[in-house]
Amino acid sequence: MGEMVEIGTGENALPVYQSSPGPDVKGGLIVIHEVWGLNDHVKDVADRFAAEGYFVIAPDLLSSTGLDVDVAAQLGEAMAHPEKRSATQPRIRPFLAPLRSKKTAAGIIANAKRCFDYLKGNDAVAGRIAVTGFSFGGTYAWSLAVHEPELKAAVPFYGHADFTVDEFRNIGCPVLAFYGERDTRLIEKLPQVEAGLQEAGLSFRSVVYPNAGHAFFNDRNPKAYNEAAAMDAWNRSLAFLDRHLN
């Protein structure tokens, strides 16, 4: 259904997977990948949203970070298989270290905003633009909401939201966030996030799934995937997007 295209030209070109719906467009949606990069799973998710009526772009946000996207994909593939995890884990932290720099984060956000501007220029989308993402992508879905006040909705899956109350006040759209109960690091921070969002006066709903952990939506990861949680989150996401974009 989709195809690879580029936003911009030359050295500044940003590769994105673009998946188009039929003639009736409900809105535009940015789908942000996990830290393993723009893989077949994310493209499949983009196609699924397009089949529901959304004009979808899934950017390759690792391409401008200096990381080897092929190595990222290999690490992600290995982590999805229990027998390979212990040998793979020591390689992950040093490989992903560049992502922790403020300069790299600023570049990722700038590219996410380019995706927003790209969709904004699509007459069929008519300014009805939302963002969703998973883990790394969930974190940057939060960040895009903070940095782009014209977003109409944000649906981060198990992303970090390490923002001050003043930063939360920059968000101009409702947020629906999903978590797995076993995702300890995020669950421990969730009360602080909820308190900050409440103080900022934002429309926010969190859904925490029992017996689910990090990456529960990724059906290519047999260790993490939780079918019941994934299906419920999918249906809630569609209802939320329909309510705020259509």
Side-chain angles (χ1 to χ4, degrees):
M1 183 183 294
E3 62 178 341
M4 291 299 300
V5 300
E6 291 185 338
I7 297 175
T9 58
E11 294 182 357
N12 292 323
L14 175 67
V16 304
Y17 180 77
Q18 179 173 288
S19 193
S20 305
D24 297 324
V25 180
K26 293 181 179 179
L29 180 65
I30 302 165
V31 176
I32 305 180
H33 54 71
E34 294 178 316
V35 77
W36 317 120
L38 180 58
N39 54 28
D40 288 342
H41 165 64
V42 179
K43 293 176 182 178
D44 177 64
V45 172
D47 288 341
R48 288 171 61 191
F49 275 116
E52 296 291 337
Y54 296 96
F55 189 96
V56 184
I57 58 171
D60 177 2
L61 293 181
L62 290 189
S63 62
S64 62
T65 64
L67 293 181
D68 187 322
V69 295
D70 292 329
V71 173
Q74 291 167 12
L75 291 173
E77 177 68 20
M79 288 298 289
H81 294 85
E83 70 277 9
K84 299 179 181 179
R85 289 176 67 89
S86 60
T88 305
Q89 284 174 330
R91 299 173 55 196
I92 292 176
R93 185 175 293 274
F95 176 76
L96 298 179
L99 295 181
R100 294 196 289 270
S101 80
K102 291 183 178 180
K103 181 179 180 181
T104 300
I108 293 171
I109 283 296
N111 278 330
K113 285 176 67 68
R114 289 173 68 191
C115 293
F116 177 88
D117 292 338
Y118 177 77
L119 288 175
K120 189 177 179 180
N122 185 321
D123 291 340
V125 168
R128 300 165 297 171
I129 304 168
V131 64
T132 190
F134 307 90
S135 189
F136 166 91
T139 297
Y140 278 99
W142 275 109
S143 294
L144 184 60
V146 168
H147 290 89
E148 181 45 71
E150 292 186 57
L151 269 178
K152 301 302 182 187
V155 188
F157 282 71
Y158 31 86
H160 290 272
D162 298 326
F163 300 104
T164 66
V165 172
D166 284 341
E167 288 172 322
F168 279 138
R169 288 194 177 105
N170 293 329
I171 297 177
C173 67
V175 180
L176 172 64
F178 296 110
Y179 303 90
E181 185 181 46
R182 295 177 179 174
D183 198 351
T184 308
R185 287 194 307 162
L186 289 177
I187 292 301
E188 288 177 347
K189 291 182 177 181
L190 184 55
Q192 181 181 345
V193 171
E194 291 176 329
L197 289 163
Q198 183 176 8
E199 185 175 346
L202 292 177
S203 173
F204 172 67
R205 170 83 186 277
S206 62
V207 180
V208 179
Y209 292 103
N211 302 316
H214 198 74
F216 69 78
F217 192 81
N218 189 340
D219 57 7
R220 308 294 175 94
N221 185 336
K223 180 177 176 60
Y225 181 58
N226 183 305
E227 183 178 8
M231 290 304 300
D232 185 77
W234 172 253
N235 290 329
R236 288 177 185 267
S237 297
L238 292 179
F240 185 78
L241 293 173
D242 190 62
R243 184 161 63 250
H244 295 291
L245 293 190
N246 198 12

